[in-house]
C-alpha cells in the first residue's frame, strides 16, 4: 500500500524562480563542502609525494594512519561541544563561516610543516581542520534542508555531498598536476602549494555567505518572525504576505511552539525522550556505518591502493582524479534517486554494490598474488570505480540527508551533531584498520569492510523508516507511534514529552503511517 503524505504548505508547487534561488544558494553553500572535500582529498595525494615524505622524515604507515585518524578526533570534539552551539545560537550562516575560517587556520599550519616539528605541526593542523570541517559538514546540510520544500529536499541537501566529492576530484587533479613538478623546488613547494589552494574557495565563501538569507526556521526559533517571513518569501519567490508563505510559516511556528521548552531541557532529552532517541540512534548509527563501509580508506589511501597493484605514482593520481570526477556524476544522479526511490532503498542498494566490489578487490589479489595477472589487477581497478558508484548513490549523500531532516527544529543542530560524532568514531576505526590491516593481512582487509556493508544493508532495511516527501514538521508521526496531532496550540503541554506517558484525548484521531 502506497504511503499517503499529508498535504502541507511545504509540499506545495513552487515558482521556477523559487527553485532557481534555492538551487543557487545551495550551490553556493556547496563551496564550503568543496573546501571540506579538498582538505580530505589532498591528503591522499601528498602521502605519496616525495617532498612530503622527505619533510616528515619518511613517516611509517602507523604515523600516516595517525595523521589521518587524528583529524577525526577534532571532528568528534567539534560535533559534541562546538558545532551545534554555534549553529543554534548564532545561526547556520555564522556556523558555516566559522567552520571555514577555522579550517583555513589548520590548513595554514599544515602547509608550513617541516623540520623536527613537522609531524607535530601536521597533527595539530589536522585536529584544527577536523574542528572546522565538522562545523561545515553539519551546518551546510542544516541550512540546505531548512530552506528546501519537503518534496525536493533530498536533491538540495545532496548538493552538500556534490561539493564534497567535487573537492575530492579537484584535489586529485591538483595532486596529479603537482606530481609533474619534479625539480628540487617542486619537491619542497609542490605539496605545500597543494594544501594552500583550498584557501581560494574558502575566501569566496567567507566573502559571500552573509549575502545569503538566514533560514526561516532558525529565525522563528529565535523569535524573529518578520525576518523569517521575509526570508521564506524570498526563498519561495512570493510576497511575504502570500497565502502559501503565511501557511508554511504557521506550520514552522507550530512546530517550534510545540517544542520550545525542549531547548531549556538540554541535550540530555535526546537520550531520555523515546521519540527523540528513536531519531538519534538511527542518525548516529547511519553515520557510523557510512564510515565503516570503507569509504574513509578509499579517500585517504586510494593512490596507495593503486600503487599496490603495480601502478606508477603519477598514473595512480590520474586514475584517482578520474574516479573522483565520476563520483560527482554519480552524486548528481543521486539528487534524483534519493527523492524518486527514497532514502532506504538507495542505502540498501548502495551497501550491496559496495560489498560486491570489496569482495572482488579482496579475493583477486589472493588468487593472483604479487601482480602476476594484470587482468586481475585491471578488474580490481574497475570494481573500485563500481564501489565509488555504490557509495555515491547511497551512504555518501543519504546519511547526511536522513540525519538533517528527522530531528525537530529545536533539536536539529544538536541532534545532527551528536549523530555525526558517530561518523568520527567510525572514521577513526576505519582509518586505523586500513593501513594496519594492509600491512598485516593484505587484501583480506577488504573483507572486513565488505562484512560491515552487508550488516548495514540488513539494519537499514529492518529499522529505518522512509522519510522522503515528508515535511520537516511531519517527522513526529514516523518516530513516535503514539503521536497525536493537535489543532489548537493553546491546549498543548509546554514540554516536549513522550505521548505514551499522557492520557490520550479520545476526541483526537491518531495519525497512522502506512508503509508499503
Amino acid at each position: 500500500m502506497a504511503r499517503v503524505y499529508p498535504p502541507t504548505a511545504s509540499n506545495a508547487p513552487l515558482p521556477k524562480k523559487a527553485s532557481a534561488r534555492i538551487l543557487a544558494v545551495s550551490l553556493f553553500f556547496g563551496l564550503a563542502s568543496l573546501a571540506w572535500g579538498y582538505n580530505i582529498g589532498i591528503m591522499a595525494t601528498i602521502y605519496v609525494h616525495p617532498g612530503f615524505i622527505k619533510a616528515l622524515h619518511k613517516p611509517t604507515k602507523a604515523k600516516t594512519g595517525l595523521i589521518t585518524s587524528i583529524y577525526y578526533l577534532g571532528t568528534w570534539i567539534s560535533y559534541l561541544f562546538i558545532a551545534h552551539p554555534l549553529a543554534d545560537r548564532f545561526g547556520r550562516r555564522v556556523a558555516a563561516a566559522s567552520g571555514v575560517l577555522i579550517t583555513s587556520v589548520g590548513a595554514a599550519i599544515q602547509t608550513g610543516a617541516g623540520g623536527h616539528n613537522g609531524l607535530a605541526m601536521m597533527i595539530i593542523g589536522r585536529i584544527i581542520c577536523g574542528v572546522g570541517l565538522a562545523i561545515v559538514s553539519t551546518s551546510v546540510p542544516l541550512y540546505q534542508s531548512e530552506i528546501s520544500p519537503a518534496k525536493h529536499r533530498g536533491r538540495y541537501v545532496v548538493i552538500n555531498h556534490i561539493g564534497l566529492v567535487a573537492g575530492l576530484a579537484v584535489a586529485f587533479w591538483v595532486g596529479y598536476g603537482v606530481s609533474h613538478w619534479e625539480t628540487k623546488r617542486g619537491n619542497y613547494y609542490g605539496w605545500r602549494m597543494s594544501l594552500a589552494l583550498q584557501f581560494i574557495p574558502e575566501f569566496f565563501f567567507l566573502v559571500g555567505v552573509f549575502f545569503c538569507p538566514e533560514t526561516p526556521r532558525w529565525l522563528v526559533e529565535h523569535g524573529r518572525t518578520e525576518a523569517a517571513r521575509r526570508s521564506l518569501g524570498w526563498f519561495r519567490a512570493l510576497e511575504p504576505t502570500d497565502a502559501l508563505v503565511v501557511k508554511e510559516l504557521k506550520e514552522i511556528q507550530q512546530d517550534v511552539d510545540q517544542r520550545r521548552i525542549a531547548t531549556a531541557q538540554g541535550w540530555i532529552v535526546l537520550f531520555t525522550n523515546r521519540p527523540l532517541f528513536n531519531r538519534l540512534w538511527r542518525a548516529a548509527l547511519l553515520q557510523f556505518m557510512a564510515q565503516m563501509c570503507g569509504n574513509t580508506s578509499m579517500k585517504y589511501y586510494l593512490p596507495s591502493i593503486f600503487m599496490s597493484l603495480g601502478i606508477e605514482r603519477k598514473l595512480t593520481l590520474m586514475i584517482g582524479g578520474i574516479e573522483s570526477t565520476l563520483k560527482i556524476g554519480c552524486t548528481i544522479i543521486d539528487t534524483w534517486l534519493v527523492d524518486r526511490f527514497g532514502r532506504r532503498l538507495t542505502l540498501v542498494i548502495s551497501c550491496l554494490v559496495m560489498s560486491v566490489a570489496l569482495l572482488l578487490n579482496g579475493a583477486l589479489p589472493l588468487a593472483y598474488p604479487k601482480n602476476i595477472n594484470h587482468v586481475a589487477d585491471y578488474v580490481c581497478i574497475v570494481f573500485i570505480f563500481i564501489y565509488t558508484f555504490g557509495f555515491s548513490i547511497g551512504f555518501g549523500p543519504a546519511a547526511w540527508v536522513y540525519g538533517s531532516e528527522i530531528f525537530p527544529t529545536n533539536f536539529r543542530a544538536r541532534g545532527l551533531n551528536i549523530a555525526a560524532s558517530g561518523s568520527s568514531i567510525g572514521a577513526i576505526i576505519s582509518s586505523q584498520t586500513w593501513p594496519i590491516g594492509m600491512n598485516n593481512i593484505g587484501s583480506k582487509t577488504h573483507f572486513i569492510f565488505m562484512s560491515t556493508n552487508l550488516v548495514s544493508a540488513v539494519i537499514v532495511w529492518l529499522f529505518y523508516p522512509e522519510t522522503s516527501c515528508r515535511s520537516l514538521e511531519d517527522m513526529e508521526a514516523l518516530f513516535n507511534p503514539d503521536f497525536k496531532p493537535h489543532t489548537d496550540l493553546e491546549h498543548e503541554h509546554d514540554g516536549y514529552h513522550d505521548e505514551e506517558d499522557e492520557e490520550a484525548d479520545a476526541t483526537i484521531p491518531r495519525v497512522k503511517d502506512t508503509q508499503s
Side-chain angles (χ1 to χ4, degrees), residues 211-227:
F211 290 98
C212 301
E214 184 54 84
T215 71
R217 284 179 174 82
W218 184 85
L219 292 169
V220 168
E221 178 72 19
H222 287 74
R224 298 168 59 183
T225 307
E226 286 307 311

Side-chain angles (χ1 to χ4, degrees), residues 78-96:
S78 185
Y79 284 139
L80 290 181
F81 304 111
I82 301 173
H84 73 78
L86 265 177
D88 277 342
R89 183 172 181 180
F90 299 105
R92 311 330 188 195
R93 297 179 306 168
V94 171

Side-chain angles (χ1 to χ4, degrees), residues 111-135:
T111 302
H116 296 298
N117 298 320
L119 179 61
M121 292 178 71
M122 286 299 299
I123 290 173
I124 293 171
R126 292 298 291 163
I127 292 174
I128 294 174
C129 283
V131 171
L133 291 174
I135 300 170

